[in-house]
Amino acid sequence: MTEGAGVDMLEAERLDASAAVTREAALAVGRLAGDTRDATGAAHRAAAAALVRVSDAGVSLPAPGGDADADADADADAASMRALLRAAVALLASPFAAARRDAAAALGNWAAVPALQRLIVDSGALPPLVAIIASADFDVQCNAVGCITNLATLDANKASIANSGALIPLTKLATSLDLSVQRNATGALLNMTHTAENRIQLVDANAVPVLVQLLDSPDYDIQYYCTTSLSNIAVD
């Protein structure tokens, strides 16, 4: 066997294993997330933790390639991915903070994958994400805002994010007492300055005074996000 063939076989085995993990996780998470008798939160926490593990593993789904069997597998894997996203979105509304935190973290990981960014929005993630960024839990806030930040890198998502009512709470969280939340919020605002319509909406959300205030932040990333956001807004 040539070295190239060996690498190709290992890659195929990795994809098969990843797809199997995705399908098994989708079934397990669906059962746990749908447990309406979960008075203690154990099932919700277990489901959300499983979502984080799967998203951390970087599971990738093979694209259709013309082979009927392979395409059928790809369709099954895509369906499993959609099921995982639906479970994560459902867990954003869990009464248990740990489940909300992990569900937002999993969605944030997947939101860093360009092929999944629109699918996450289409799965209905934005309304519950916007709802939980008002959480008193900094970890929940940080993960939810981080997810929105990643989703906002896709131009096709920007209007949906603006229309979801996210801009005003994101502007408020830019002055959070938690630097990680500040960093994610200002990163999200920066991503939203790349279209003229969104820049106008940010001005209306009173983002400019907040961005100016944060130019003196001790965090260099926050300084950069605010400086660049203001530069983009000034184009208009």
Side-chain angles (χ1 to χ4, degrees):
M1 179 185 297
T2 66
E3 181 179 351
V7 171
D8 289 344
M9 183 173 292
L10 287 173
E11 177 65 10
E13 290 173 354
R14 187 190 69 78
L15 288 174
D16 286 345
S18 295
V21 168
T22 305
R23 288 192 291 267
E24 291 172 9
L27 291 173
V29 169
R31 287 194 298 269
L32 291 168
D35 188 348
T36 58
R37 301 164 298 172
D38 184 21
T40 66
H44 280 195
R45 289 195 298 271
L51 288 168
V52 172
R53 288 195 297 273
V54 174
S55 67
D56 279 342
V59 172
S60 57
L61 303 178
D67 179 85
D69 290 339
D71 287 354
D73 287 342
D75 288 343
D77 297 336
S80 296
M81 188 71 245
R82 287 193 293 270
L84 288 172
L85 294 178
R86 286 194 300 271
V89 170
L91 286 167
L92 292 175
S94 171
F96 307 104
R100 296 195 300 272
R101 177 199 65 212
D102 285 352
L107 285 169
N109 288 341
W110 283 318
V113 180
L116 296 179
Q117 289 172 335
R118 188 61 208 177
L119 187 58
I120 291 170
V121 170
D122 290 341
S123 297
L126 283 174
L129 283 170
V130 172
I132 66 172
I133 61 178
S135 169
D137 186 306
F138 284 141
D139 288 335
V140 173
Q141 286 183 359
C142 188
N143 292 349
V145 176
C147 181
I148 293 173
T149 302
N150 288 343
L151 292 174
T153 62
L154 180 68
D155 285 345
N157 283 342
K158 296 185 194 302
S160 298
I161 292 170
N163 293 335
S164 73
L167 298 185
I168 290 176
L170 284 172
T171 299
K172 291 180 179 177
L173 286 178
T175 60
S176 169
L177 297 177
D178 185 276
L179 273 181
S180 295
V181 175
Q182 275 193 32
R183 195 176 298 117
N184 283 350
T186 52
L189 294 176
L190 170 58
N191 288 341
M192 294 297 291
T193 64
H194 296 151
T195 68
E197 182 178 359
N198 292 150
R199 290 194 290 271
I200 293 170
Q201 292 168 320
L202 285 169
V203 171
D204 291 342
N206 206 36
V208 171
V210 172
L211 293 168
V212 171
Q213 174 188 338
L214 290 171
L215 291 175
D216 291 329
S217 170
D219 185 280
Y220 290 123
D221 286 336
I222 293 173
Q223 288 182 16
Y224 171 77
Y225 296 151
C226 293
T227 302
T228 310
S229 293
L230 290 168
S231 176
N232 291 343
I233 291 171
V235 168
D236 301 320

